[in-house]
Amino acid sequence: MKLYGIPMSPFVRKARVVLELKGLDYDIVDIYPGTKTAEYLAISPLGKIPALHDGDVVICDSSVIIEYLEEQYPDTTVRPKSIEDRAKSRWLEEYGGSMLFKPCADHIFMERLTKPVMTNNPTDERIVENSITNLVPPVFDYVESQLPATGFFFGELGVADIAVATAIINATYADFDVDALRWPKLSAHLAQIMAHPVLMKCMQTEKPMIDSLKKMVGQQMVVQQMVVQA
């Protein structure tokens, strides 16, 4: 089985955690977002990550991949048992991907870590601060209202938990913290997820790339300061 994408992608991480929870063997094939080669477009026609290759089956989009894995390899489930809870799990997954990616992964993580490296332009902290001040709070408020008093959404770590946490994890790589006083359940939920052995394994794989990005951004900041002072 092959999972196409880069480990630090929130959507790749979501699919990868499900593969790990199900105990499935897979290899990661490094593909960057926006790859438009003929070879990859034959696998993922939209050029997006992740994509999954399982034998003769090719699946695109993290949510579709997870549904495929859930049906094809049902021995370990990542969804709750009841129909009602499974529907809610799918909704939380959709909400996480639709509402948390942009403020957390795009406006905080990408703006602070990937934009300076990929475009050689400095971080626009106005974008970051606008996200933290105006975009993040209503989304976090909703997630806080949906979380149980303690623990994961449906007892065991599952798709809903990962879908909500994965973009926030990227933001934490860029010096962002969830305010535990304002969102105590979300803060505790994120800490519990990041302390889970599967997440720790995945994040350890991501660490070299994150460390490299931080180093390059730091070097750019030093150069820019030297230019200003010159």
Side-chain angles (χ1 to χ4, degrees), residues 14 89 92-97 100 158-167:
K14 184 177 76 168
S89 170
L92 289 167
E93 181 183 1
E94 170 60 28
Y95 189 83
L100 281 158
V159 177
D161 303 290
I162 303 307
V164 165
T166 188

Side-chain angles (χ1 to χ4, degrees), residues 13-24 62-82 85-93 152-164 189 196 198-199:
R13 185 187 300 116
K14 184 177 76 168
R16 187 181 177 202
V17 168
V18 171
L19 287 163
E20 292 284 346
L21 288 172
K22 287 180 172 290
L24 300 172
S62 63
S63 296
V64 180
I65 289 169
I66 288 168
E67 287 304 303
Y68 166 78
L69 293 172
E70 187 72 348
E71 294 181 2
Q72 185 76 313
Y73 304 98
D75 289 348
T76 300
T77 183
V78 293
R79 299 266 188 215
K81 292 182 179 180
S82 74
D85 283 347
R86 291 173 78 86
K88 185 176 181 180
S89 170
R90 292 187 179 94
W91 159 243
L92 289 167
E93 181 183 1
F152 301 121
F153 276 111
F154 303 104
E156 300 292 333
L157 178 68
V159 177
D161 303 290
I162 303 307
V164 165
H189 181 255
H196 191 282
V198 167
L199 265 295

